[in-house]
Amino acid sequence: MAYTVLARRYRSAAFDQVVGQEPIARTLQNAIASGRVAHAYLFTGTRGVGKTSMARIFARALNAPDTIPNCPKPPGEHDYPERDVQDRMATAIMRGDDLNVIEIDGASNNSVENARQLIANAGLAPTGNARFKIYIIDEVHMLSTAAFNALLKTMEEPPAHVKFILCTTESHKVPATIQSRCQRFDFRNIPTKDIASHLRNVLTQEKVKGDDEVVWQLARLGNGSMRDALSLLDRLISAGEQPLTAQTLVQMLGLPPQQRISDLIDAMADGDVKAALEATAGLLDQGIAQDQLMEVLVERLRQLMLIRACGPDSELVEIADDARAAAGAQAARFDVQGLVYMISVCENLLRTAKASSNPRALLDATVVRLALAEKLADIAGLLAGNPAPASASGPASGGGPGASSRPAPSAPVYGEKKK
Ligand SMILES: Nc1ncnc2c1ncn2[C@@H]1O[C@H](COP(=O)(O)OP(=O)(O)OP(=O)(O)O)[C@@H](O)[C@H]1O
Ligand SMILES: [Mg+2]
């Protein structure tokens, strides 16, 4: 049998299975229960966060409510098809090929003729005793202006049996005239910890073993998108090595190994320019792209900053539990201002390196700057007539940038030492 990707096999089939979108699920269920279902909805949000899944579940709740446990129904008496018919409807809806739940790809059906066809079809009653005819228009922002205009009237006052669910990743491209005829729901990016726990469930059901670190890393790489995280997991599983490890993932994606990044940050905390440059060269020698190295470094520095600012147990700190202690120890070598400064220096490099004829030189200079920041601050202090402090202050131990406060990120002037 043909292999179905994880993202499709694990598509949410009920409101409470759409991870991270609970407020939207609740509002939609309340709308059904109170008999206040609008005639048009706009679902927006980044790719792979559950828009199409939620649209199908909503359609299923409207036409085949008995197939969803605890599914709300509108007040009053309503005729629904027999249970076996509802079951068939539900299966077809979740597959995306039900006769009354019509999924339209806005990108390839974007002409005014397509819109007119839709309008003509919407006038016909639903088949098989279904209550509603529901149009799910994906990528709706791809419709032409003429198509949008043709739809305006029907979207404002559709026949009683018609509902529209428009889905888009780019709501700003949907004309205001259409938006104002819809109830809008903004799907949020899914928090890393929620993606991680969903991935763990999938791994359990797939009977695949994987360590905590790999699950967190996949979740982080998903960047808020469940589909992206599941697709990466698919690739990793098909790489064949089990149990899954962060190391295999790093090799597969050509990412810098976490340990080496950690060594680089330690060298910076020590103010050890030689070790920092060697760690950087080692990473590049492994074939890591300069941009990627910087992006991963920035993300690590961000985690350290969050630990320093909010404590190691904060929910904002998105790392595996068993990596928390080590990250906490590393974070203690820096102060928040120092980390803010380091992130801004890295960001600056990401911007300027693209236009440079010698990006490697800029990278090396940045690494030196980060490792030497403390000493440069001393020199600036001396030049400004301040005596150099006897030793580093605060929890930091080394001579690196964390040992004392950093200059403000936007100003390349080295600031005062932390008291
Ligand atoms: N919130 C979520 N909870 C659980 N799984 C999800 C969620 N969002 C996405 N997925 C997974 O990703 C797959 C794709 O989701 P879906 O089609 O609903 O995303 P989408 O928001 O419509 O994306 P696109 O904008 O690319 O169309 C689903 O089959 C499911 O496996
Ligand atoms: Mg979709």
Side-chain angles (χ1 to χ4, degrees):
M1 212 173 79
Y3 177 71
T4 314
V5 296
L6 290 176
R8 278 185 59 200
R9 249 183 308 138
Y10 289 89
R11 188 185 279 285
S12 328
F15 286 111
D16 57 3
Q17 292 173 12
V18 191
V19 178
Q21 314 296 356
E22 293 79 8
I24 295 177
R26 216 173 309 124
T27 311
L28 292 174
Q29 291 180 87
N30 287 342
I32 298 176
S34 59
R36 293 175 167 273
V37 174
H39 54 258
Y41 289 89
L42 178 65
F43 288 178
T44 86
T46 33
R47 60 180 195 280
V49 292
K51 299 182 297 297
T52 303
S53 308
M54 188 74 90
R56 288 182 182 174
I57 293 164
F58 191 42
R60 181 175 166 190
L62 290 172
N63 273 0
D66 297 331
T67 65
I68 303 179
N70 306 320
C71 186
K73 282 188 187 168
E77 284 294 306
H78 299 280
D79 282 340
Y80 288 98
E82 294 296 316
R83 178 61 199 263
D84 59 330
V85 179
Q86 283 195 43
D87 281 339
R88 257 178 278 134
M89 280 180 177
T91 312
I93 292 171
M94 295 319 289
R95 265 200 322 255
D97 58 14
D98 185 61
L99 287 177
N100 299 302
V101 180
I102 303 125
E103 290 197 19
I104 299 168
D105 171 20
S108 47
N109 297 281
N110 60 358
S111 69
V112 66
E113 284 75 31
N114 295 134
R116 290 204 183 109
Q117 226 170 16
L118 185 157
I119 295 163
N121 182 290
L124 308 172
T127 58
N129 284 339
R131 288 196 67 211
F132 296 105
K133 209 161 187 171
I134 299 157
Y135 290 90
I136 300 176
I137 311 184
D138 246 321
E139 312 265 3
V140 71
H141 63 273
M142 301 291 279
L143 293 192
S144 64
T145 311
F148 274 129
N149 285 337
L151 279 177
L152 281 181
K153 175 93 185 62
T154 310
M155 289 226 5
E156 179 140 37
E157 290 178 343
H161 61 260
V162 170
K163 305 283 175 205
F164 286 101
I165 306 175
L166 314 181
C167 302
T168 180
T169 47
E170 299 182 55
S171 60
H172 58 280
K173 292 189 181 161
V174 178
T177 44
I178 293 281
Q179 295 208 28
S180 76
R181 285 164 171 77
C182 298
Q183 236 178 57
R184 173 176 167 147
F185 287 96
D186 288 81
F187 284 61
R188 63 172 182 160
N189 284 1
I190 307 168
T192 306
K193 71 169 175 22
D194 293 351
I195 298 186
S197 85
H198 186 67
L199 292 182
R200 230 171 268 125
N201 278 339
V202 170
L203 282 177
T204 311
Q205 290 181 61
E206 289 289 306
K207 301 193 173 58
V208 172
K209 288 203 163 35
D211 63 32
D212 217 26
E213 179 54 31
V214 75
V215 169
W216 272 93
Q217 194 147 1
L218 284 163
R220 274 196 301 265
L221 287 164
N223 242 331
S225 163
M226 188 68 87
R227 190 202 287 110
D228 285 4
L230 283 169
S231 303
L232 277 176
L233 176 60
D234 237 332
R235 272 177 67 187
L236 189 61
I237 293 176
S238 55
E241 269 183 51
Q242 284 193 27
L244 310 178
T245 62
Q247 207 182 350
T248 326
L249 179 68
V250 158
Q251 282 163 2
M252 184 181 91
L253 300 178
L255 292 176
Q258 297 291 318
Q259 188 52 48
R260 282 199 170 234
I261 292 284
S262 192
D263 293 347
L264 173 58
I265 294 176
D266 276 339
M268 289 172 175
D270 293 338
D272 187 338
V273 175
K274 180 168 177 282
L277 282 172
E278 283 172 357
T280 308
L283 282 159
L284 296 180
D285 285 349
Q286 287 193 331
I288 311 292
Q290 207 170 299
D291 271 12
Q292 207 167 32
L293 166 58
M294 269 299 128
E295 275 160 22
V296 173
L297 182 61
V298 167
E299 182 50 32
R300 274 297 278 275
L301 293 171
R302 173 175 166 258
Q303 295 299 340
L304 298 180
M305 180 180 71
L306 291 172
I307 291 176
R308 280 306 262 152
C310 311
D313 298 327
S314 163
E315 286 215 339
L316 293 177
V317 179
E318 298 176 327
I319 51 177
D321 286 341
D322 48 12
R324 250 166 227 268
Q330 194 166 50
R333 306 193 66 192
F334 297 89
D335 63 16
V336 177
Q337 296 95 314
L339 291 161
V340 169
Y341 169 73
M342 293 171 84
I343 291 171
S344 71
V345 169
C346 295
E347 276 298 323
N348 201 26
L349 174 70
L350 275 168
R351 257 180 285 117
T352 51
K354 289 193 178 72
S356 167
S357 59
N358 193 343
R360 176 66 195 270
L362 284 188
L363 174 66
D364 284 348
T366 300
V367 169
V368 172
R369 193 172 171 192
L370 293 174
L372 271 187
E374 177 67 11
K375 292 187 181 129
L376 292 175
D378 292 348
I379 295 165
L382 282 173
L383 289 175
N386 301 330
S391 64
S393 58
S397 54
S404 67
S405 68
R406 266 335 81 222
S410 53
V413 180
Y414 293 89
E416 285 176 39
K417 306 295 283 183
K418 195 170 80 175
K419 297 282 177 297

